[in-house]
Amino acid sequence: MSSAMEFASSQEEREGGGEMTEQLDLIPVKRLLLPRELFLSTAVSLKNQVVEVTWKRRRDDNIGVDPTAYTGLLGTALTCLRSYEATGSLPDLHLCSDIVDTCSLATRASHRHLTFLCGRVGVYAVGAVVSHYMGDPQRLDMFFNLFLQAAQEKALPIGPEEGGFGMSYDLLYGRAGFLWAALFINKHLGEQKFPHDLLISIVDAVLAGGRVGASDNPDCPLMYRWHGTRYYGAANGLAGILHVLLHFPLSNEDADDVKRTFRYLISKRFPHCGNYPSSEGNPRDKFVQWSHGATGIGITLCKASQVFHEDREFRDAAIEAGEVVWKNGLVKEVGLADGVSGNAYAFLSLHRLTGESEYEERARAFGTYLYHNASKLVGAESQNGGDRLYSLFHGLAGTACLWFDLCKPEESRFPGYEL
């Protein structure tokens, strides 16, 4: 293997978003890995490019602004926040604050979602956190109070017995996404900023909804539907909801149901390869990404292994999922949701779980591949991708965050998913 360009077959040879043709061989790849300091300078440069395209060129045009973290301007703010965390750059912190203000204005026109990645509480959560780091208690209180107002939405704690199916449970659009936003605030502002007892009614509603959703399956205690489909992945499915639940204190009964649900999910692996179906009963082995497939489920299994450390099976399943990503994870997109950047985080999670350097090297291999190929992969979609190609979950902002995290892999966290 003579160059990083040979890490994967050409884009034209790949047919599906989660497919590739061969496994990487880490032994020769080690000679080609970028040093950490080069990842840092490259991340800063790419962050500046993301800011230029998504913010500076559109700063005076508030019409049609997408204020979400998933595909919109808040993703740029989070990238600037990640840059500040990595470099200590105060201009990045102030830039993050300015972008959040624009997102806040844009969210007034929409009250549809209450989640971190796709709703207004993400704007409020990031606004509160950046105000905290800027030492501005008045702005912090303003954003936190907006968050508290959103928390009063009746649909959040309503259980299925009260007709609560009007609001989903998933991470992107549902209750798990709201709970994650509260956890994000507590991570940065302190565990008591948003006391867990204020959130327990929502946690209970998620658990109750999962039990109703699994009532026809004695082998699986918790199950959820999104638009009628029982998804397994992180974005709209079981893995994302379980990941959030793992951050809360659970009763023995609730913890047992969560563990049994994990065992059921693990039992649904494709026997020939170890990957996971995107949804219940789906026979297609197609996706190996965060949104669907081994990446998102593997990262969640790493968290399960940390919480239920006495259960070795979750650690083993996380490692197996990482092997699936290693064999299949150089896909044709660059972002966090369905691309190489997101897939690299499976290895960073395993590195933190196991302490083994091999997983850091695998993440760096994927990061190095992106260093040589990201512009080519994005260029193939540039005619109709627009700002989406620079977004956090479907574009280059996610790549910038990965490169920042490769500088300090022990402190890495999948943006909008890991805390």
Side-chain angles (χ1 to χ4, degrees):
M1 191 176 296
S2 60
S3 74
M5 297 289 285
E6 296 177 39
F7 279 5
S9 58
S10 68
Q11 181 182 353
E12 291 77 12
E13 292 174 310
R14 286 180 237 133
E15 298 178 354
E19 301 173 359
M20 67 166 286
T21 58
E22 59 181 325
Q23 179 180 0
L24 300 185
D25 183 351
L26 190 57
I27 295 176
V29 165
K30 284 183 180 180
R31 300 194 307 268
L32 306 167
L33 299 181
L34 295 182
R36 289 185 179 182
E37 57 271 19
L38 186 53
F39 277 122
L40 180 59
S41 61
T42 304
V44 170
S45 177
L46 184 56
K47 178 266 302 178
N48 290 338
Q49 183 180 352
V50 169
V51 168
E52 176 67 28
V53 172
T54 64
W55 171 244
K56 291 183 178 180
R57 296 180 187 175
R58 297 176 179 270
R59 187 162 37 195
D60 299 325
D61 179 13
N62 289 329
I63 300 175
V65 170
D66 176 356
T68 70
Y70 192 67
T71 55
L73 196 54
L74 190 64
T76 301
L78 284 167
T79 307
C80 292
L81 181 61
R82 185 60 58 94
S83 180
Y84 164 73
E85 292 171 333
T87 67
S89 168
L90 289 177
D92 279 332
L93 189 63
H94 288 280
L95 181 58
C96 177
S97 179
D98 291 343
I99 295 172
V100 167
D101 285 344
T102 294
C103 291
S104 183
L105 288 174
T107 59
R108 295 179 184 179
S110 173
H111 294 276
R112 183 178 179 188
H113 299 303
L114 289 168
T115 63
F116 184 85
L117 292 177
C118 294
R120 65 186 190 275
V121 296
V123 177
Y124 305 152
V126 177
V129 168
V130 72
S131 298
H132 168 70
Y133 286 126
M134 291 178 66
D136 190 336
Q138 290 184 327
R139 280 174 55 86
L140 192 161
D141 288 343
M142 178 192 73
F143 281 113
F144 188 69
N145 287 332
L146 287 169
F147 191 95
L148 287 176
Q149 290 174 24
Q152 303 306 312
E153 293 278 347
K154 186 178 179 181
L156 283 166
I158 290 177
E161 70 282 357
E162 301 173 72
F165 288 114
M167 186 172 186
S168 65
Y169 298 93
D170 63 303
L171 185 75
L172 285 191
Y173 305 113
R175 296 173 231 214
F178 175 85
L179 291 171
W180 199 94
L183 291 168
F184 178 82
I185 289 177
N186 281 357
K187 175 193 173 181
H188 290 276
L189 274 63
E191 284 298 318
Q192 296 306 313
K193 185 64 179 178
F194 206 117
H196 279 182
D197 59 0
L198 297 179
L199 303 171
I200 290 303
S201 62
I202 305 172
V203 173
D204 289 343
V206 174
L207 289 164
R211 291 184 176 114
V212 171
S215 58
D216 60 345
N217 187 344
D219 298 323
C220 182
L222 303 171
M223 184 55 70
Y224 304 87
R225 289 180 175 86
W226 188 73
H227 287 200
T229 300
R230 295 175 171 181
Y231 287 102
Y232 288 160
N236 300 114
L238 194 56
I241 298 168
L242 293 177
H243 189 89
V244 172
L245 291 176
L246 289 171
H247 291 80
F248 291 91
L250 300 172
S251 68
N252 290 337
E253 178 185 359
D254 293 339
D256 184 62
D257 280 352
V258 168
K259 287 194 282 187
R260 288 174 56 210
T261 302
F262 271 117
R263 293 183 183 116
Y264 177 82
L265 180 60
I266 292 169
S267 74
K268 293 301 178 178
R269 301 187 307 263
F270 289 116
H272 64 281
C273 66
N275 192 26
Y276 290 80
S278 61
S279 60
E280 182 95 328
N282 192 326
R284 301 180 66 192
D285 175 18
K286 182 178 180 181
F287 302 109
V288 188
Q289 297 133 330
W290 174 81
S291 57
H292 302 288
T295 294
I297 293 173
I299 292 172
T300 296
L301 286 167
C302 284
K303 180 64 178 180
S305 179
Q306 293 169 347
V307 174
F308 306 122
H309 53 84
E310 71 281 1
D311 292 285
R312 177 77 188 195
E313 60 191 302
F314 301 137
R315 178 187 176 98
D316 292 342
I319 290 172
E320 181 179 343
E323 292 304 311
V324 174
V325 179
W326 180 241
K327 294 175 182 177
N328 302 279
L330 287 180
V331 294
K332 66 181 181 181
E333 296 187 21
V334 300
L336 296 176
D338 301 307
V340 180
S341 299
N343 290 353
Y345 276 98
F347 308 128
L348 291 174
S349 298
L350 283 168
H351 173 63
R352 297 196 315 273
L353 176 68
T354 68
E356 294 181 10
S357 60
E358 178 184 23
Y359 294 118
E360 178 197 349
E361 291 168 348
R362 289 184 173 187
R364 288 172 63 197
F366 275 35
T368 301
Y369 168 77
L370 285 168
Y371 175 81
H372 290 281
N373 291 278
S375 60
K376 180 175 67 176
L377 295 177
V378 169
E381 303 179 53
S382 60
Q383 290 185 350
N384 54 17
D387 283 3
R388 177 186 172 95
L389 297 179
Y390 290 86
S391 69
L392 186 61
F393 271 73
H394 286 282
L396 291 170
T399 302
C401 288
L402 170 66
W403 287 344
F404 279 124
D405 276 339
L406 287 173
C407 302
K408 296 181 179 179
E410 295 78 12
E411 301 175 13
S412 63
R413 296 293 185 273
F414 192 113
Y417 197 58
E418 294 181 293
L419 289 157

